[in-house]
Amino acid sequence: MKNIRNFCIIAHIDHGKSTLADRLLEFTKTITVTSGQMLDDMDLEKERGITIKSHAIQMEYMHNGEKYILNLIDTPGHVDFSYEVSRSIAACEGALLIVDASQGVQAQTISNLYMAIEHDLEIVPIINKCDMASANPEEVEDEIVELLGCKREEIIRASGKTGMGVEDILTAVIDRVPAPTGDDNAPLQALIFDSVFNSFRGIIAYFKIENGVIRSGDKVKFFNTGKEYLADEIGVLKMDMVPRKELRTGDVGYIISGIKTSKEVKVGDTITQVSNPCSEAIDGFEEVKPMVFAGLYPIEAEDFEDLRASLEKLQLNDASLTFQPESSLALGFGFRCGFLGLLHMEIIQERLDREFDMNVITTVPNVSYNIYDKHGEMKEVHNPGGMPDPTLIDHIEEPYIKASVITTTDYIGPIMSLCLGKRGELLKQEYISGNRVELHYYMPLGEIVIDFYDRLKSISKGYASFDYHPCGFRTSKLVKLDVLLNGESVDALSTLTHVDNAYDMGRRMCEKLKELIPRQQFDIAIQAAIGSKIIARETIKALRKDVTAKCYGGDVSRKRKLLEKQKKGKKRMKQIGSVEVPQKAFLAVLKLD
C-alpha cells in the first residue's frame, strides 16, 4: 500500500490538463502511441476540446528501483462540471494544480483548489505551457505563491506539448502525495465514485477501497440500497479494464456484478461484504444541487418511456443530472430536468441524440423559485406553469449566487455594466497581481442562466473567467410572462421575469417569434401578456405555400421527394392549437440579445 498514489488533476478550462495527462501516460509507458487526446474518448469531448467526464487510469512507474502504482483521475475544468471534480477529489489523496503560464490563475482554478483543500489533499502546483512564446512563468509563480503560500521551488514548470517537466511531476507525486491510509484487515469499505452502463455487461461501478480487501467471486452488498450481488469481475482501469483476482486497501478499480437497473447504483454509496459488513458507510460527497431547470419532451409522444430509459442510463454516467416526470399542454408528457448550467444542458441534449438516438424538444431554461401565499405557506416552483393564481401570491423569492469574475483591468468597465444590467450588486474588487482584478458580485441566478457567460466571454475577448456559488434566496418583484398564439397560451414559452424587464422581454419575444413561426393559411396573432394584460403584439400575415411549384413536368418522384421533405419538417414541429411552432422557437428565447 505504501507504493500506491491516488491523485487527480485540477485546473481552469483550457489550461492543458488532458494533454499533460497524456504525456504522463506516455512517459510511464501506459500507452505507446498517442493520437489526439487519449483520455477524452467521447466524440463530443474531442470536437469541443473540453473534458466532460472524469477519467480514471492506472500507471506503473519505477522510481529509485521501486515500483509505484499511480492512479490518476483527469477532471473537467468547466464550472458546469464541478460536481465531477468534487467526486474525483473524494477518491484521491493529492491533486496536481495546473496553471497556464500565459493566462495565470483563473476563477475555476481557485474554486477547484478550495474544494481540494477542504478534503485535505496534498497540492502539487504546476505551471503548464512554459514552451509558449507568450508564457510568463515568473508572474504566474508570484500568483501561485500568493494563492497557496507555498515555496517557489515547490512549483514545477512543465509543458504538455513538449513533455518538459513530466519526470519532475511524477517524482513530486511520489515524494509529496501521501500513500492511502486504511486497514487491510478491517471489514471492506469501498466508495463508488463513478459508474457507466455497458449494454452487454450491465452497470460497471468504479470504486476506491478505503479499508479491507475485495476478491472476485465475493458476495458484496451496497450499503445504502441494501442490495446484495456477486462480484463477477473486479479489476483495475488502464486504457482498457484489466481483471484482477483481488484488490486491496488504497486501490482504485471497477466491479461488474450484472446489475441491470440503474436505480440500484448510487454514486457515493459504499460497497461492503455480506459475510463481514462494515458498521457505517463512508461519507460520500454532497448531494448535487441543480442550478438550471428545463423540460425535455420527446418529439413523438410514444417515445416517452424510451426517453426515461435513456435518461436513467445517462444519469449513471453523469450523476449531476436530475429529472422527474411532468406534462405540458403544448408538448404532452416529458421530464423536468435539473442541470448544473447551460453548457451541461447542451451536452446532455447532444448525448441523448448521439448515444441513444433520442431527439428531444427543450423548453426555456429557468431556475427554481420559492413562492409564498397569503397564509405564509411556501411552495417550490421549477416551472412557470406551476405557479398559483397571482391573486393568491404574497411574495416570490428567487435564488441568488455569489459570483467571482477574474479579468484584466482593461475590461472592468464593460463587465461592470454587464453585471449591473443583470441586477448584480458589487460586493468588492481586489487586485490579485499586476493588472488582474477579481470582482465579487451578488446576482440573481435567473439572470445568468441564459446568456451571461457567452456575453462575458465576448466583451472581455475571452480574458474573463467566471465562477459562482449559491448563497440563498431573496424576495424579488417577479411576474409571469405568457405568450399567446391566436389567444391560446403556449405554456412551454412562458417565463418568470423581473417586473422591470417584462415589457422589453415581451416585445422582443413577439418580434423573434414573428421571424421564426412560418406563415400559415390564416393570420396569426402573437401576444405577450402579464396576467390578463397584453403588453406586446405582432401579427403574421396569411400565405399559401406550395413546395412543388418548382417542378414543371419531369418524373413524379421529384415531387414526391419535395413532399417527403416537407413532411419531415412538419414532424419536427409541435401542433399547438392550430399554429405550428418550430423547435428553434423554443430555443430562440435564449438568444434574444
Side-chain angles (χ1 to χ4, degrees), residues 32 141-142 152 176 196 228 276-277 292 433 440 503 541 544 548:
T32 43
E141 260 180 19
D142 294 341
R152 270 181 179 279
R176 295 192 220 166
V196 291
E228 298 182 1
N276 181 12
V292 179
S433 66
H440 294 272
Y503 282 85
K541 290 293 173 210
R544 178 174 181 272
T548 57

Side-chain angles (χ1 to χ4, degrees), residues 356-367:
F356 304 101
D357 200 19
M358 288 300 309
N359 217 328
V360 292
I361 286 182
T362 317
T363 62
V364 181
N366 51 33
V367 296

Side-chain angles (χ1 to χ4, degrees), residues 29-78:
K29 311 269 191 302
T30 310
I31 49 177
T32 43
V33 189
T34 55
S35 52
Q37 298 284 353
M38 295 304 292
L39 286 180
D40 292 352
D41 49 9
M42 211 187 294
D43 290 345
L44 266 174
E45 293 180 314
K46 287 178 178 157
E47 280 168 32
R48 291 172 180 244
I50 56 176
T51 304
I52 293 168
K53 283 288 304 161
S54 301
H55 298 273
I57 189 161
Q58 189 181 89
M59 307 180 282
E60 290 173 4
Y61 183 57
M62 295 297 287
H63 179 65
N64 296 343
E66 282 194 60
K67 187 165 113 178
Y68 286 87
I69 288 178
L70 310 177
N71 290 311
L72 151 79
I73 302 180
D74 176 30
T75 65
H78 198 283

Side-chain angles (χ1 to χ4, degrees), residues 461-508:
K461 300 193 173 58
Y463 276 107
S465 59
F466 171 70
D467 186 41
Y468 60 84
H469 298 283
C471 66
F473 284 75
R474 289 191 192 183
T475 306
S476 292
K477 287 182 71 178
L478 298 167
V479 289
K480 181 182 173 196
L481 184 67
D482 284 313
V483 173
L484 310 174
L485 290 184
N486 279 351
E488 287 190 31
S489 169
V490 183
D491 58 352
L493 287 174
S494 32
T495 52
L496 270 175
T497 178
H498 195 265
V499 75
D500 298 346
N501 305 341
Y503 282 85
D504 184 40
M505 175 118 172
R507 198 189 71 248
R508 285 176 17 224

